[in-house]
Amino acid sequence: MKPGIDASMGFVGVSTSQSSIMKVFPQWARFLGLPAAQLTGFDLPLDADEAQYREVIDRIRRDPLLLGALITTHKIGVHRAAADLFDELDEFATLCGEISSVSKRDGQLIGHAKDPVTAGLALEEMLVPDHFGSTGGELLCLGAGGAGTAIIWYLARRPDSPRRIVCTDRSPERLAELTAVLGRGGVDTDRLRTVVADGPADSLVAAMPEASVVVNATGLGKDRPGSPLSPAVRFPRRGVVWELNYRGSLEFLHTARAQASSRELTVVDGWRYFIHGWTQVVAEVFGLCLDSATTDRLAEAAEAVR
Ligand SMILES: NC(=O)c1ccc[n+]([C@@H]2O[C@H](COP(=O)([O-])OP(=O)(O)OC[C@H]3O[C@@H](n4cnc5c(N)ncnc54)[C@H](OP(=O)(O)O)[C@@H]3O)[C@@H](O)[C@H]2O)c1
């Protein structure tokens, strides 16, 4: 059966109907002339079991009207439970054990872990190409979950790369897994320092040199209220401060914005990361190559319902 008016792209999450992308996607579909007019949401609970993951992936695999899917929240669960249902997985999906993009090519089901690509696109918009080399700035990533790992992975392999990378997490196991993933991917882990942290990591921020990049990848300020830093923290002068979320209580973002002028900071929220996250999976599912002008048009359409 050929895709047509009833065809859609899947969206696997927790409460997909509440996401603004449900309203945005039909506009993008019209603008790009996609053979799918809307998203089909698959809501799974946070503690979904293996059978639930396999059922969703099997449905996407078999249904010719489902042309692919984006997976949030359940990226690791889908890999753990259903990796064998895919014909092909990309390098980062296999290394990190997560799948965020499902696409179909010539009858094959393909899984990608897009986070390093999408985090990279967002980072390139906030950093000049020789940012680390020309300033001596370093990287402090607060949180070593999927997003923190992808950001470190991307920046560690960037031609202009931080000399030193500091990463915190509440869990020593997650930090060990981060080190293992980087090592398996051929990254020199001698420049990585991992720190188990729960309360405010202000002293680590204070120790960062000028122009360092400080990322809140903990989810604090959205997934849970709070911040991995106290309001009294002093960001490195001329630093780049990135909050990965764009909605929520966003305490970390507010702290950074309050110092933006006095400390000459570049402060960025997670909006463009969100846009790149979706546009890259749409491009993969529909076999498109999106230039930056087209991505900007898609971002404008999304901005209207932000
Ligand atoms: N804008 C976008 O499109 C976009 C894209 C990707 C991610 N994000 C956001 O980025 C955030 C991170 O995503 P993720 O998938 O990596 O989440 P995740 O897997 O939950 O990772 C967050 C990590 O930070 C740890 N953590 C919590 N509090 C901490 C603290 N005070 N200090 C140090 N580490 C702490 C968490 O530990 P525990 O699990 O023990 O709490 C967890 O290991 C989420 O809020 C997500 O919404 C946004």
Side-chain angles (χ1 to χ4, degrees), residues 143-148 168-170 174 197-198 217-220 222-224 228 244-246 270 273-274:
T168 68
D169 200 277
R170 302 206 305 180
R174 260 198 217 109
D198 197 352
T218 64
L220 288 180
K222 180 188 164 241
D223 304 337
R224 285 184 294 141
L244 298 192
N245 286 303
Y246 62 92
Y273 188 19
F274 170 77

Side-chain angles (χ1 to χ4, degrees), residues 72-73 75-76 98 115 118-119 141-151 167-171 174-175 195-201 215-224 226-229 242-247 269-278:
T72 59
T73 314
K75 299 177 227 185
I76 293 171
E98 65 175 53
D115 260 6
T118 58
C141 183
L142 304 161
T149 300
I151 287 162
C167 183
T168 68
D169 200 277
R170 302 206 305 180
S171 146
R174 260 198 217 109
L175 291 168
V195 181
V196 178
D198 197 352
V215 183
N216 179 19
T218 64
L220 288 180
K222 180 188 164 241
D223 304 337
R224 285 184 294 141
S227 167
L229 303 177
W242 188 19
E243 161 59 58
L244 298 192
N245 286 303
Y246 62 92
R247 58 189 166 91
D269 71 10
W271 178 246
R272 290 292 293 191
Y273 188 19
F274 170 77
I275 294 293
H276 288 305
W278 270 96

